[in-house]
Amino acid sequence: NAGVTQTPKFRVLKTGQSMTLLCAQDMNHEYMYWYRQDPGMGLRLIHYSVGEGTTAKGEVPDGYNVSRLKKQNFLLGLESAAPSQTSVYFCASSQLAGVSYEQFFGPGTRLTVL
Amino acid sequence: GENVEQHPSTLSVQEGDSAVIKCTYSDSASNYFPWYKQELGKRPQLIIDIRSNVGEKKDQRIAVTLNKTAKHFSLHITETQPEDSAVYFCAASIVGRGSTLGRLYFGRGTQLTVWP
């Protein structure tokens, strides 16, 4: 099992450009999450999904959109990138059932907006 | 929403000493408290978690304690080793209830450095 994977690993954008980050999981998890990590700020939730076709806003959703068309994929979009969106983005998934509530994280995407 | 505070932000210890990281939470309904370890350049990984019906949980050199009344929980690492050096995050969540969706609210992290 690959677990949670993210593409791309690195990206540099110019202000105003758009891009999509892809997260994929092969654990058949219902729940998926997008976080951003900035120095000294911990992990902040951007958007999340509790199942295929559903999405919801997290703590810092402005400037981002998401889609969950397939259970195994969760896409994060930046329509018009801003320097404030320079960050490391982590995707995570969990099942939230049975004996484990663990969130499994992907390897991260380092995004720089110039 | 939930607010999780974590202290200290940095912690340096000598190899073999113990390390303690403390977190407080605001929502008395929170019932699940995981700890994640993140090595430099890597993804966060769960190292231990505790539910509100338990006061303490141990796994080899790490342990977590929970005080529901005071709304705080702590991570204890004994006999620290250089490979324990990492950023540690605490988190709080409400699980087992459909309306809360299992969101994790993270503390800001503690950079632990273990000197040989």
Side-chain angles (χ1 to χ4, degrees):
Chain A
N1 286 351
V4 181
T5 58
Q6 293 181 231
T7 52
K9 289 184 170 56
F10 304 93
R11 186 73 184 268
V12 178
L13 290 178
K14 294 181 179 178
T15 297
Q17 287 185 321
S18 63
M19 78 164 294
T20 299
L21 284 68
L22 171 63
C23 176
Q25 53 95 3
D26 61 2
M27 296 174 282
N28 201 35
H29 285 169
E30 291 291 338
Y31 298 82
M32 297 187 75
Y33 312 84
W34 275 107
Y35 295 91
R36 60 176 290 172
Q37 184 175 34
D38 303 293
M41 296 298 293
L43 291 150
R44 293 184 292 171
L45 185 65
I46 305 171
H47 286 281
Y48 60 102
S49 168
V50 301
E52 182 177 322
T54 73
T55 63
K57 294 181 180 180
E59 181 184 355
V60 288
D62 294 343
Y64 305 95
N65 56 75
V66 288
S67 64
R68 183 105 180 263
L69 299 179
K70 294 183 179 181
K71 185 177 183 179
Q72 63 267 34
N73 296 337
F74 195 27
L75 278 63
L76 178 70
L78 287 74
E79 291 185 347
S80 180
S84 60
Q85 294 177 305
T86 293
S87 187
V88 179
Y89 292 86
F90 285 99
C91 175
S93 71
S94 68
Q95 191 56 21
L96 290 183
V99 298
S100 175
Y101 299 115
E102 179 178 357
Q103 287 192 16
F104 294 85
F105 284 81
T109 295
R110 185 174 294 275
L111 175 66
T112 301
V113 183
L114 301 175
Chain B
E2 174 69 278
N3 181 44
V4 177
E5 295 193 356
Q6 182 172 347
H7 299 280
S9 56
T10 61
L11 179 61
S12 292
V13 299
Q14 203 73 30
E15 182 178 1
D17 288 349
S18 296
V20 180
I21 302 170
K22 299 181 179 181
C23 289
T24 61
Y25 61 99
S26 61
D27 189 347
S28 57
S30 290
N31 59 1
Y32 174 64
F33 306 93
W35 286 87
Y36 284 79
K37 175 183 179 182
Q38 186 179 29
E39 297 176 354
L40 187 63
K42 301 292 182 62
R43 72 190 79 188
Q45 291 190 299
L46 179 73
I47 55 171
I48 195 167
D49 56 12
I50 191 169
R51 301 187 195 182
S52 59
N53 59 348
V54 176
E56 183 176 4
K57 184 177 179 180
K58 290 183 179 180
D59 183 2
Q60 298 183 337
R61 295 186 298 108
I62 60 173
V64 57
T65 58
L66 171 66
N67 183 326
K68 288 190 297 182
T69 302
K71 288 189 283 188
H72 68 71
F73 56 111
S74 300
L75 178 71
H76 305 253
I77 305 175
T78 59
E79 301 175 15
T80 54
Q81 302 168 1
E83 51 264 40
D84 294 330
S85 296
V87 178
Y88 292 80
F89 293 98
C90 64
S93 180
I94 303 174
V95 298
R97 304 173 191 176
S99 63
T100 55
L101 310 171
R103 283 182 57 170
L104 286 178
Y105 295 86
F106 284 90
R108 295 193 173 193
T110 297
Q111 173 68 60
L112 173 64
T113 303
V114 180
W115 300 100

